[in-house]
Amino acid sequence: MLARTVMKNVIYNSSSLLVASISGLIVVIFLARALGPELFGIYSLSISIAYIFLIFADLGISEAAKRYIADAVAKDDYGLAGGYFRFLFRLKLALSLLVSAIVAIFANPLSQVFGKPIAEPLLILSLFLFLFSIKNLFLGVANAMNDFKLNFFESAISGVAKLLFTFLLILLGLSLLGAVLAVTISAIAAMFFVIYYVWGMYPRIFTSKGKVDEFRVLRFITFTALLSSTWVVFANVDVVMIGYFLEAEEVAFYRAAFNIISAISGLIAVPSVLLPVFVKLEGEDLSKAFLRTFKFSSALCIPAAFGTIAIAKNLLLFAYGAEYVPGLSVLQVLSLLLISPSFGIYGAVFSSKEKPELNFYPLVLSMFLNVALNFVLIPILGIEGAAIATVSSNVAFWALLVAIGAKEFSIFPRPEFVAKPIFSSLVMFLVAMNFDSMLLTIPISVLVYSALMFLVRGITKEDIDFLRAIAKVR
């Protein structure tokens, strides 16, 4: 049953995101306290710059591996699958080496541009870029085989290594450089494990040879590369621009808030497991799969946004301490980004149908809007302006995706899939504001929201029965 395959993949993917989110949040909390706002701001700025360069080491190649190897395996053509891998691996290796070298060479000039000591962190992160990029290609091969167990194993190994070496190197007195070294060491461990796993589990991919339509793949990669590069810039430009206009401490306050949102978002995201499934669906079947997925996703994401706003101050105090409370308003504004995973489903649909350009064009427009708003609002409103710019541009992106999905594939979320969760979440929020303790606020909010969703039929017995069926629960 296709639904059971999706559920199995969702469980593995959610587990991997849970491990990554928890381990990442623990590391960030430790670093924020151990380094202090200034050094933590420099660390965050260095990581953001590295991730912007990472897009040029991938350029959509990992996504192409998922799309085309999955298609070849579905046709039981392992020769073609092997041909795709060989072609994509050559591209990935060349790009990864080139980008890593560029980062190492330009580390000092970038430090001078930003007026902050980021040269040594960037030198170390140049190795991280190569390791992370190669690992993602092999991870994409496993995902193309509908194997998302590896996502969990990779997250566990990377997370444990990062935790262990971050604590060890910071306690040994290496401070900022220790934090960056820990990121790189965890990437080494993850890359070697992923390669070993994929090579052992799917040897036919590496031993088979077949002729591929390179132009077809390159066309897909071109749009996916533009899409991924735009998306990474979209996700990191706020931190980079704050680093340029403001002090390192302001970067730390903003990044501390953003890391909480990223951790929660990772727990409620579903779209990344859907690409191999949507490849197989057309017409009415695709529409039904989209609607059901959007319904469940919005029922989870919308209350997450409202709930995070309600407990934002407690989250900051618990995670980082009073020193980071200046980021409270940023966290409350950015909480609205937790709705984003619901609209990420559109990207999975577009990519599965070899139309990544449909995701690219609205993302480009939204990215330019984001940059323009950041340029105007950061000097005026500081980090709060960056948060407003990020949320506003994301809302524009969501609206464009809905319009394109309706036009190209006749897929459109039913209004009640958004209205009912919003109504239930607003009531939940008003109730939650009467409590100070997170230990009380969270369970009470969950009960209130769940009861209201059943009352307004936002969640039905049919939905529960469906989830039980695909999870094989009786």
Side-chain angles (χ1 to χ4, degrees):
M1 182 180 176
L2 189 59
R4 286 200 178 116
T5 299
V6 174
M7 176 57 74
K8 180 184 70 174
N9 290 343
V10 166
I11 291 171
Y12 281 126
N13 195 62
S14 298
S15 299
S16 70
L17 292 171
L18 177 64
V19 171
S21 297
I22 292 175
S23 61
L25 194 57
I26 292 172
V27 168
V28 165
I29 290 170
F30 175 74
L31 289 176
R33 291 175 178 267
L35 299 179
E38 183 178 1
L39 287 180
F40 182 64
I42 293 170
Y43 168 84
S44 299
L45 178 60
S46 302
I47 294 291
S48 292
I49 292 172
Y51 271 104
I52 288 177
F53 275 99
L54 184 62
I55 60 180
F56 300 105
D58 184 73
L59 292 182
I61 294 171
S62 298
E63 194 72 12
K66 293 181 191 178
R67 170 58 178 85
Y68 289 103
I69 293 176
D71 185 54
V73 170
K75 299 172 182 175
D76 200 30
D77 189 344
Y78 280 86
L80 182 60
Y84 282 133
F85 173 79
R86 289 170 182 271
F87 174 62
L88 294 171
F89 179 74
R90 290 195 299 269
L91 286 177
K92 172 71 87 165
L93 184 62
L95 284 171
S96 299
L97 287 170
L98 177 62
V99 171
S100 296
I102 289 173
V103 172
I105 292 169
F106 286 94
N108 276 315
L110 283 170
S111 181
Q112 294 171 8
V113 168
F114 284 90
K116 295 175 178 65
I118 58 175
E120 288 184 345
L122 287 178
L123 278 172
I124 298 170
L125 289 171
S126 65
L127 175 59
F128 161 78
L129 290 177
F130 174 79
L131 300 165
F132 192 87
S133 179
I134 296 298
K135 178 210 71 178
N136 276 356
L137 175 61
F138 284 84
L139 195 61
V141 172
N143 292 166
M145 306 298 290
N146 252 324
D147 182 350
F148 285 82
K149 295 192 297 291
L150 183 56
N151 295 54
F152 172 73
F153 296 144
E154 183 272 333
S155 290
I157 290 170
S158 178
V160 170
K162 190 183 296 184
L163 280 170
L164 177 63
F165 284 100
T166 297
F167 293 148
L168 178 62
L169 295 175
I170 293 292
L171 293 175
L172 287 175
L174 292 180
S175 189
L176 174 62
L177 293 184
V180 179
L181 278 169
V183 172
T184 304
I185 293 170
S186 67
I188 294 172
M191 185 195 74
F192 280 110
F193 175 79
V194 168
I195 292 174
Y196 173 79
Y197 178 96
V198 175
W199 203 283
M201 290 293 292
Y202 309 109
R204 294 176 67 184
I205 298 294
F206 308 106
T207 57
S208 303
K209 298 180 181 180
K211 186 174 177 58
V212 302
D213 185 348
E214 295 182 0
F215 178 78
R216 178 189 180 198
V217 178
L218 287 172
R219 179 188 177 278
F220 181 88
I221 287 175
T222 299
F223 277 105
T224 308
L226 292 170
L227 176 62
S228 60
S229 61
T230 306
W231 181 250
V232 174
V233 172
F234 196 5
N236 291 278
V237 69
D238 43 6
V239 172
V240 174
M241 292 183 74
I242 291 170
Y244 182 79
F245 284 113
L246 306 176
E247 298 299 318
E249 289 88 343
E250 298 295 312
V251 177
F253 298 145
Y254 186 89
R255 197 66 196 185
F258 197 89
N259 283 334
I260 290 176
I261 299 303
S262 296
I264 299 172
S265 182
L267 301 179
I268 58 178
V270 176
S272 61
V273 307
L274 297 174
L275 179 57
V277 175
F278 285 151
V279 166
K280 306 171 185 176
L281 301 178
E282 298 288 347
E284 187 176 348
D285 290 335
L286 177 63
S287 179
K288 287 180 179 178
F290 169 83
L291 284 174
R292 193 177 288 277
T293 306
F294 187 91
K295 179 180 182 179
F296 289 140
S297 184
S298 62
L300 186 62
C301 293
I302 292 173
F306 281 85
T308 302
I309 295 172
I311 63 172
K313 185 174 182 179
N314 284 330
L315 280 174
L316 281 174
L317 287 171
F318 175 76
Y320 305 110
E323 202 172 13
Y324 286 84
V325 170
L328 173 59
S329 56
V330 171
L331 178 57
Q332 290 175 324
V333 174
L334 290 179
S335 295
L336 295 175
L337 293 181
L338 292 174
I339 300 172
S340 185
S342 296
F343 294 92
I345 299 167
Y346 282 94
V349 172
F350 298 161
S351 292
S352 72
K353 302 308 170 189
E354 292 190 278
K355 291 191 174 182
E357 66 272 17
L358 298 181
N359 211 27
F360 169 67
Y361 295 130
L363 187 57
V364 168
L365 292 174
S366 302
M367 183 198 71
F368 281 116
L369 175 62
N370 190 23
V371 172
L373 289 174
N374 271 302
F375 187 80
V376 172
L377 295 178
I378 289 175
I380 299 172
L381 300 176
I383 54 177
E384 287 81 6
I388 293 170
T390 299
V391 171
S392 299
S393 52
N394 269 274
V395 171
F397 178 55
W398 302 340
L400 290 169
L401 288 179
V402 171
I404 293 171
K407 179 181 178 182
E408 296 291 331
F409 299 101
S410 299
I411 54 175
F412 190 85
R414 295 175 184 170
E416 62 264 29
F417 290 174
V418 175
K420 291 178 180 179
I422 287 178
F423 168 76
S424 301
S425 296
L426 280 171
V427 176
M428 176 198 75
F429 174 79
L430 294 174
V431 172
M433 294 305 293
N434 294 297
F435 300 92
D436 292 326
S437 170
M438 281 198 299
L439 294 176
L440 284 175
T441 303
I442 294 174
I444 290 173
S445 297
V446 170
L447 288 173
V448 169
Y449 176 77
S450 301
L452 284 169
M453 284 293 281
F454 274 109
L455 186 64
V456 300
R457 293 189 60 78
I459 300 174
T460 65
K461 185 177 181 299
E462 180 186 352
D463 295 326
I464 301 300
D465 290 342
F466 175 80
L467 291 174
R468 284 178 175 172
I470 61 178
K472 298 183 180 179
V473 175
R474 295 289 181 256

